[in-house]
Amino acid sequence: MPLYFLAIIPPEEISKRIKSLKLEIAEKYEAKHALKLPAHITLQIPFKIPETEEGKLIDSFKSFAENQKSFPLNLKDFGRFGQKVIFINIENHKEIINLHAELQQIFMKNFSLKKHETFSKIHPHITLASRDLHYKQFPKAWEDFKTREFSDSFSVKNFSLLKHDGKTWHIYRNFHFNQ
């Protein structure tokens, strides 16, 4: 079964800035895993559905997105999860939390996801370094980022369905909000 996930993808200019930070971390701290994905804010963790249900999935998200309104999003500085993950903070992320909750309802109503494919609480962020950031490197990397400043903003006008091709993730479909 194909593997998918849902995310908000920042505009190209912001994505380029984020990729340069990921490249810096890869070079300085040998953590390259985050480079396998485009800069994104996860709305639904990876999940599998039969390919025969892909059309239903796309139709569900298309009609859902058509009833959404765009909203502003502010990216501000850096945060961390424990000694493993460094990320860009998202300020005032109530709209993302609401969007996630509504998408979870669509999944529960229309699709049979496994328990490990669902999650009720999210902490919106953009990951810069994760699972391959060695615990010995983490303190140096965090020291480097914890006082750095990062600021940007954009209007969220859509979300994306990403699909894994066996090697990497690709943006498969974009679902545009009603402007």
Side-chain angles (χ1 to χ4, degrees):
M1 281 194 288
L3 188 61
Y4 305 90
F5 84 95
L6 292 176
I8 295 169
I9 308 290
E12 190 175 345
E13 281 301 309
I14 296 173
S15 291
K16 284 180 184 176
R17 287 185 67 198
I18 294 166
K19 186 170 185 178
S20 71
L21 293 169
K22 289 181 181 185
L23 286 167
E24 178 186 340
I25 288 172
E27 288 172 23
K28 285 184 180 177
Y29 307 108
E30 301 172 17
K32 299 179 174 96
H33 179 75
L35 285 166
K36 292 182 179 185
L37 293 156
H40 69 280
I41 302 157
T42 301
L43 292 171
Q44 169 60 46
I45 59 176
F47 63 96
K48 291 181 180 181
I49 62 160
E51 207 145 15
T52 55
E53 290 195 32
E54 189 177 271
K56 179 180 171 186
L57 184 76
I58 290 167
D59 289 345
S60 297
F61 295 147
K62 187 174 184 292
S63 58
F64 170 76
E66 288 170 352
N67 292 308
Q68 301 302 308
K69 295 209 179 320
S70 62
F71 57 89
L73 196 65
N74 298 316
L75 309 177
K76 184 77 171 142
D77 301 333
F78 303 95
R80 70 182 193 163
F81 295 133
Q83 300 284 309
K84 265 307 201 195
V85 178
I86 296 175
F87 58 83
I88 296 173
N89 286 312
I90 297 171
E91 291 187 318
N92 305 322
H93 48 252
K94 188 177 91 179
E95 286 92 348
I96 295 173
I97 304 259
N98 292 341
L99 191 61
H100 167 261
E102 291 178 43
L103 287 165
Q104 290 301 296
Q105 292 299 316
I106 291 172
F107 278 110
M108 288 184 350
K109 183 177 169 188
N110 299 297
F111 303 97
S112 298
L113 297 187
K114 294 192 171 27
K115 189 166 178 74
H116 71 273
E117 295 174 327
T118 63
F119 63 119
S120 58
K121 291 186 179 178
I122 63 169
H123 182 280
H125 65 280
I126 299 175
T127 301
L128 297 176
S130 63
R131 65 180 75 167
D132 65 338
L133 180 57
H134 195 275
Y135 75 93
K136 289 182 178 175
Q137 292 282 39
F138 184 89
K140 292 180 240 172
W142 180 239
E143 190 63 34
D144 189 5
F145 278 86
K146 72 179 182 182
T147 58
R148 265 204 222 182
E149 292 182 4
F150 183 95
S151 182
D152 218 325
S153 62
F154 65 98
S155 181
V156 176
K157 298 177 181 177
N158 62 52
F159 64 91
S160 302
L161 176 67
L162 289 91
K163 188 174 183 179
H164 202 274
D165 67 7
K167 292 183 181 177
T168 189
W169 290 99
H170 299 280
I171 297 172
Y172 188 60
R173 290 278 196 291
N174 291 311
F175 300 98
H176 298 279
F177 297 168
N178 180 6
Q179 302 304 318

